[in-house]
Amino acid sequence: MRPWIVLLSLMLVVSAAAAVPMQTSPARPSTVAPPVPANVPLLAPTVVTGVVSGPGLWKVSKDGHVLWVLGTLSPLPAHMQWESHQVEQVIARSKQVLTQPRLELKADIGFFGKLFLLPSAYGARKNPDGKSLNQVMDAPTYARWLILKRKYIGDDRGIERWRPLFAAQELYKKALKANDLSNDGGVSGTVAALVKSGGMVETPVQYRVEIQHPGDALKAFKAAAPSDIECFNRTLDAVEHDLPAMAERANAWATGDLEALRTQPDSHRRDACVNAITSAGFARQLGLADIPAQLEAAWVAAARDALTKNDTSFAMLPMDELMATDGYLAKLAAQGYTVESPEQQDATEPDIGVAPATSR
């Protein structure tokens, strides 16, 4: 399972079928909420700011052809300024830049179709039968939610009607922002700017799922939506306890401390949320259950093609895929490619990846 790939698939299914849901008048919960404890200690993490270089690049090579891979991480410091001279110079002499693998959902329904489906899409985000969060979970769990909601979201009654999966995602997003963390620290935007300045176009790596009947997709979601309490609980755990560890990992990426990234465990929140999505009946109906395997196959094929055609290429992958014994780079190594971590390169070729750019 690759949790970074499919965590937002549920939201993508809904957004592919309709426009972004509009806010409606909030509904008041129908039952009395449990009391919220007065004092809850939440440790505020400290993250780096200013100019950072990030980690070194992984090197995949065969027959004189090289693919340089940047390991990405989420979350990262929100106020860092990433400037990697190695990445800049590698991109400048690359013939091809591969995007991170992603899911593409295709649903061509037109403007009027979106207008008609909008109410249904909004309804898919809410709990069935008009229930509020305190009616779909036990009292201790809801009490934990109220504490964190008050701290990071505030007095938003509308979110009380959302499914736990959507509420958890909103809480997580707000908690990151409040603790000076962001999804990618501007890394993807910086890479895109470097590619554009070099006159190139990124090569998309994607698995495409076409939704022929978006209305039926929404019905399938409502009828067989994920059982997402485990995802909700893991998100509460992450926001309550894991923010300092997330900050440490973010700082380790920013400063290029690969050893800290290897030893600092990641949160299991994403795994729980991915399992909630891919095990749901609607995911199997729409062909979303095998997304991880499909995206892995698409990226490995794109990497092999780039290594065959180009002397130098560049790609980005989540850091866990670079370090995992069964990750994407491990798959290439098993197929006869040489894979070297930044530490291995430092031991043999300390100046690798910083040669002057050559004309393409």
Side-chain angles (χ1 to χ4, degrees):
M1 181 67 65
R2 305 292 177 216
W4 53 270
I5 296 175
V6 292
L7 181 57
L8 298 180
S9 296
L10 176 61
M11 295 71 165
L12 288 172
V13 171
V14 176
S15 62
V20 177
M22 297 183 295
Q23 296 297 323
T24 62
S25 300
R28 186 180 300 275
S30 59
T31 59
V32 178
V36 179
N39 297 310
V40 178
L42 292 174
L43 181 61
T46 301
V47 296
V48 300
T49 60
V51 178
V52 300
S53 60
L57 302 181
W58 267 252
K59 179 183 179 184
V60 183
S61 60
K62 188 175 185 179
D63 300 330
H65 296 229
V66 180
L67 172 67
W68 296 97
V69 186
L70 171 66
T72 61
L73 189 71
S74 182
L76 284 176
H79 303 297
M80 73 176 193
Q81 181 181 344
W82 178 58
E83 292 183 4
S84 173
H85 297 296
Q86 185 186 23
V87 170
E88 182 177 355
Q89 294 177 16
V90 165
I91 289 178
R93 66 173 188 271
S94 291
K95 305 295 192 304
Q96 190 174 11
V97 173
L98 306 180
T99 65
Q100 294 201 67
R102 59 176 178 254
L103 170 69
E104 181 191 8
L105 293 178
K106 174 67 175 177
D108 186 11
I109 58 177
F111 175 74
F112 289 104
K114 291 180 181 180
L115 287 181
F116 283 116
L117 283 171
L118 182 58
S120 296
Y122 180 77
R125 188 176 65 176
K126 298 194 293 185
N127 283 311
D129 302 323
K131 291 183 178 179
S132 56
L133 287 174
N134 60 325
Q135 294 175 304
V136 297
M137 62 186 62
D138 58 68
T141 300
Y142 185 67
R144 294 175 64 202
W145 156 256
L146 282 184
I147 296 168
L148 297 172
K149 175 195 170 188
R150 177 177 295 172
K151 180 177 179 64
Y152 293 114
I153 298 177
D155 186 20
D156 181 347
R157 294 179 180 176
I159 199 172
E160 291 291 327
R161 296 288 181 178
W162 291 12
R163 292 178 185 269
L165 181 66
F166 288 93
Q169 287 301 113
E170 183 69 10
L171 173 66
Y172 182 74
K173 180 180 70 174
K174 293 295 179 73
L176 291 187
K177 183 177 181 180
N179 287 277
D180 295 324
L181 294 166
S182 69
N183 280 332
D184 77 343
V187 171
S188 59
T190 299
V191 169
L194 290 172
V195 172
K196 183 177 180 180
S197 67
M200 291 185 294
V201 177
E202 291 179 301
T203 301
V205 180
Q206 57 197 21
Y207 169 52
R208 184 172 184 174
V209 176
E210 185 166 358
I211 301 177
Q212 299 287 349
H213 304 288
D216 291 342
L218 286 171
K219 291 178 182 178
F221 167 64
K222 291 180 179 180
S227 176
D228 45 9
I229 294 299
E230 178 65 16
C231 167
F232 189 82
N233 281 323
R234 289 296 180 91
T235 301
L236 297 185
D237 291 342
V239 174
E240 281 180 333
H241 308 299
D242 296 343
L243 282 169
M246 292 182 200
E248 287 184 23
R249 283 174 59 83
N251 291 341
W253 187 97
T255 58
D257 189 346
L258 296 178
E259 184 60 28
L261 287 173
R262 289 190 175 95
T263 57
Q264 181 66 49
D266 194 8
S267 169
H268 294 293
R269 180 192 72 89
R270 288 171 295 181
D271 299 89
C273 295
V274 166
N275 288 335
I277 294 170
T278 57
S279 62
F282 88 96
R284 292 189 294 271
Q285 293 179 41
L286 299 179
L288 299 176
D290 61 346
I291 293 172
Q294 294 287 352
L295 280 178
E296 178 181 274
W299 190 88
V300 170
R304 288 170 57 94
D305 183 63
L307 281 160
T308 299
K309 297 190 305 185
N310 309 314
D311 292 336
T312 305
S313 305
F314 176 81
M316 295 189 296
L317 281 177
M319 189 65 73
D320 288 346
E321 289 296 344
L322 276 60
M323 296 180 171
T325 57
D326 62 345
Y328 285 20
L329 296 193
K331 296 294 193 303
L332 289 176
Q335 296 175 16
Y337 293 86
T338 300
V339 177
E340 300 171 80
S341 69
E343 300 100 326
Q344 292 170 322
Q345 297 167 52
D346 288 341
T348 57
E349 301 173 276
D351 296 325
I352 197 71
V354 293
T358 58
S359 60
R360 290 190 296 274

